[in-house]
Every structure is written in structure tokens, then in C-alpha cells.
Amino acid sequence: MRADELFTLPPSLVRFASFFTPDAPPWAWVERITAAMDSVPAKDIVPRADLPAGLRVEGKVYLHPSAKLPPYGLIQGPAWIGANADLRPGVFIRGSVIAGEGCVLGNSCEYKNCLLLDGVQTPHYNYVGDSVLGNRAHLGAGAICANLRLDQKPVPVQTPAGRVATNLRKLGALMGDDSEVGCNAVLQPGAILGKRAAVLPTIAFAGYLPPNTLASIRAEIRHLPRPG
């Protein structure tokens, strides 16, 4: 499986293009987030002079001048927050996080070692760890990207070609462009959602969901009508 089967790196993150190549396995992008942030020179990290008093920023953190900042929260670097991002109260960013243009990093949400492409919405009570969320992907309130197996063994993934070993002890979700996850759903470690796939609320989804399909409460997979 190639990364470009799930998502396309947007122009807002082109500076990281050498790390997030389209022909790499999508889970390889997760491994490269820290290295991508390490490539950002110190001169490109210009501190914001308008930090709210209750927002604590630690380490190497880039905040675009147009990013909306919350009255309180914690951002631990390395982190890159792109243009017109909306950071909401209680946000907790704890290292190796890259968010593209127009992302919502929401109320009481936690982010760790993750890549959010343009227009990602994670507005309420979400956990996003060791994951890649494609352009315009959306998590409903309380949706979780679990990243660690109960037995703590390396996380395999299910692909159209079969089961693949990633050799990653921690791997969350790989959500394709325009994919959706309903409220209080859990994406199990290594879950893969194709482009415009959707998981209904309260489901614990594992494995691979093909593009333009929907996972229902009865574990059914149904094809969605194409736009237009």
C-alpha cells in the first residue's frame, strides 16, 4: 500500500515533502514526523508575541501568525501549527505534531506524534496518537485513535493485499482524505480508512475500510454513493 492511496500532502506542508513521499507505505509517514520537525531551522521558529497568559508553549514550536490561540492549553514541541488553525481551550499537544492549514485542534483534545493534513477537524475530546489524518478528515466528539495494543506487541495493518507487519509498537489510525469517524467511536491500533470512508458512532473499528464505504454498528460495510 502506498501513502498516495490514502492522502496527498497539501501545498501548505510542501517544506516536508522529502519526508512524506507518496510512494512510501502510509505508516512510514508516522515514523518520519519527528525527523521532519528536526529539519526546521531555528530561524524559522518566530515566537508569537500575542500568546494568551494561560497558554504554555515549551520547546521548538512554530505557530503561524494567523493561527487562533486558546486562552489556556499546553503545547510541547516539536510542533508545527499551520495557517488559520483553530486551537481551542484545553488543547494538549505533546510533541512531534504537524498540523496543516485550517485544522481544528479542539477542546480538551490530546495530540502526540501525528500529522494532520489541511482542513482536519478534531473538535471535541479526541485523542490522536501516532496517526496520519488526511485532508478534511473529521473525528466526531469523543472519537479516539488508539495506538497501543493491549499486549503491547508491534501493530500489524490489514491492507487490500493482506496483513502487513509494520514493526511499530505504537501506531494509531491512518485516515484517508475526506474520511469520517462518528462520535465515541474507537479506531483500533493500525486501523486504515480509505478516502471518503466513514465509521458510524460508537463502533470499535479494526482493520481496513475501503474508499467510499461505511462501517455500521453491525460491522457491515456498505458502499456510499459517489458525489454528484
Side-chain angles (χ1 to χ4, degrees):
M1 171 173 269
R2 292 167 49 113
D4 59 4
E5 295 176 50
L6 298 179
F7 23 67
T8 302
L9 194 73
S12 69
L13 298 176
V14 70
R15 69 177 301 141
F16 301 116
S18 62
F19 297 93
F20 306 123
T21 54
D23 59 341
W27 50 91
W29 283 26
V30 174
E31 295 183 275
R32 299 173 184 176
I33 295 169
T34 298
M37 278 305 307
D38 287 344
S39 72
V40 178
K43 65 180 180 62
D44 289 354
I45 307 294
V46 179
R48 287 270 296 257
D50 59 342
L51 287 181
L55 178 63
R56 182 169 178 176
V57 177
E58 302 174 352
K60 184 179 182 180
V61 176
Y62 171 79
L63 296 169
H64 192 277
S66 65
K68 183 179 179 181
L69 303 180
Y72 57 90
L74 173 59
I75 304 175
Q76 297 173 327
W80 180 279
I81 308 300
N84 301 307
D86 183 2
L87 277 61
R88 296 182 177 174
V91 67
F92 179 23
I93 296 171
R94 60 182 183 97
S96 297
V97 171
I98 297 174
E101 184 171 353
C103 291
V104 176
L105 289 83
N107 168 38
S108 304
C109 296
E110 180 178 352
Y111 307 85
K112 171 255 181 187
N113 192 44
C114 58
L115 172 62
L116 312 183
L117 303 184
D118 282 4
V120 169
Q121 294 191 8
T122 55
H124 318 284
Y125 312 110
N126 304 121
Y127 174 71
V128 184
D130 301 284
S131 299
V132 180
L133 276 56
N135 299 284
R136 300 168 300 280
H138 172 252
L139 295 180
I144 300 296
C145 299
N147 63 342
L148 181 66
R149 286 168 52 119
L150 290 177
D151 59 11
Q152 301 194 19
K153 291 182 178 180
V155 179
V157 293
Q158 188 67 37
T159 74
R163 191 177 174 92
V164 177
T166 67
N167 299 314
L168 297 175
R169 180 172 172 268
K170 290 190 175 183
L171 176 62
L174 303 168
M175 294 180 59
D177 291 346
D178 300 295
S179 57
E180 294 271 352
V181 176
C183 296
N184 292 320
V186 176
L187 299 181
Q188 302 282 28
I192 299 177
L193 274 59
K195 293 181 179 180
R196 203 172 166 266
V199 173
L200 288 183
T202 74
I203 292 177
F205 179 83
Y208 171 69
L209 187 61
N212 300 299
T213 58
L214 180 147
S216 76
I217 195 67
R218 295 187 297 275
E220 295 175 349
I221 294 178
R222 303 200 304 268
H223 286 276
L224 297 174
R226 294 185 179 274

